[in-house]
């Protein structure tokens, strides 16, 4: 009898996982077709790596998962900046401090966007996510737009974060139709 119960539980779990995988692929395919900057493979890989998206049953749940994924990446970048500032090895501190402030704001924008998605205010959610996405370019500009341009230590990570924020923006736009 226990075996039968375990078998049923396993099948239900497997079915839920398969449904989430199908939702991820379908949503990423549709989103990447609507936005040429969004790469299908990156979208799928990014979501498959996030535990919450593996159990998602709706596009809205994927918005939450992908937004939380972007928040985690932004926190990671903020920690990188703090580490560099503590090591005191970087010759110019101002762009680092600017990036730190931008990432802090981006985290706030992303967290606020989660609340607006919950209330189904998708236009405001998209605006907040877009503001968070701007942090990546603004951080890079702090290095490149100087009298004596510097190489940003965050270029690669900013590019990844840009694309990670693009995912919930694209999904939220799909909800707003």
């Amino acid at each position: 009898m226990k075996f039968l119960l375990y078998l049923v539980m396993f099948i239900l779990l497997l079915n839920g996982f398969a449904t989430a995988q199908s939702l991820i692929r379908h949503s990423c395919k549709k989103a990447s077709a609507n936005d040429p900057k969004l790469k299908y493979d990156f979208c799928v890989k990014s979501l498959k790596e996030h535990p919450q998206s593996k159990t998602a049953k709706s596009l809205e749940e994927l918005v939450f998962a992908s937004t939380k994924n972007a928040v985690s990446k932004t926190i990671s970048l903020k920690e990188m900046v703090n580490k560099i500032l503590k090591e005191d090895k970087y010759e110019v501190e101002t762009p680092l401090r600017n990036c730190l402030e931008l990432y802090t704001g981006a985290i706030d924008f992303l967290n606020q966007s989660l609340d607006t998605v919950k209330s189904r205010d998708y236009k405001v959610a998209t605006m907040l996510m877009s503001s968070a996405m701007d942090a990546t370019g603004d951080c890079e500009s702090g290095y490149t737009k100087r009298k004596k341009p510097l190489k940003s230590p965050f270029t690669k990570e900013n590019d990844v974060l840009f694309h990670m924020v693009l995912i919930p923006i694209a999904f939220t736009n799909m909800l707003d139709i």
Side-chain angles (χ1 to χ4, degrees), residues 73 77 80 99 103 136-137 139-141 143-144 150-163:
K73 179 63 176 177
L77 276 168
M80 284 177 63
C99 288
Y103 296 143
T136 62
C139 174
E140 290 299 310
S141 293
Y143 288 92
T144 59
L150 298 169
K151 179 170 173 24
S152 166
F154 311 110
T155 301
K156 184 177 177 181
E157 288 81 8
N158 276 328
D159 185 54
V160 170
L161 178 59
F162 176 89
H163 287 93

Side-chain angles (χ1 to χ4, degrees), residues 16-17 36 67 99 115 123 131 141 164 176-177:
F17 182 71
T67 302
C99 288
D115 292 334
K123 287 187 184 351
S131 294
S141 293
M164 288 179 84
D176 196 30
I177 294 174

Side-chain angles (χ1 to χ4, degrees), residues 126-137:
T126 301
M127 182 184 70
L128 290 165
M129 291 173 194
S130 295
S131 294
M133 182 190 285
D134 290 343
T136 62

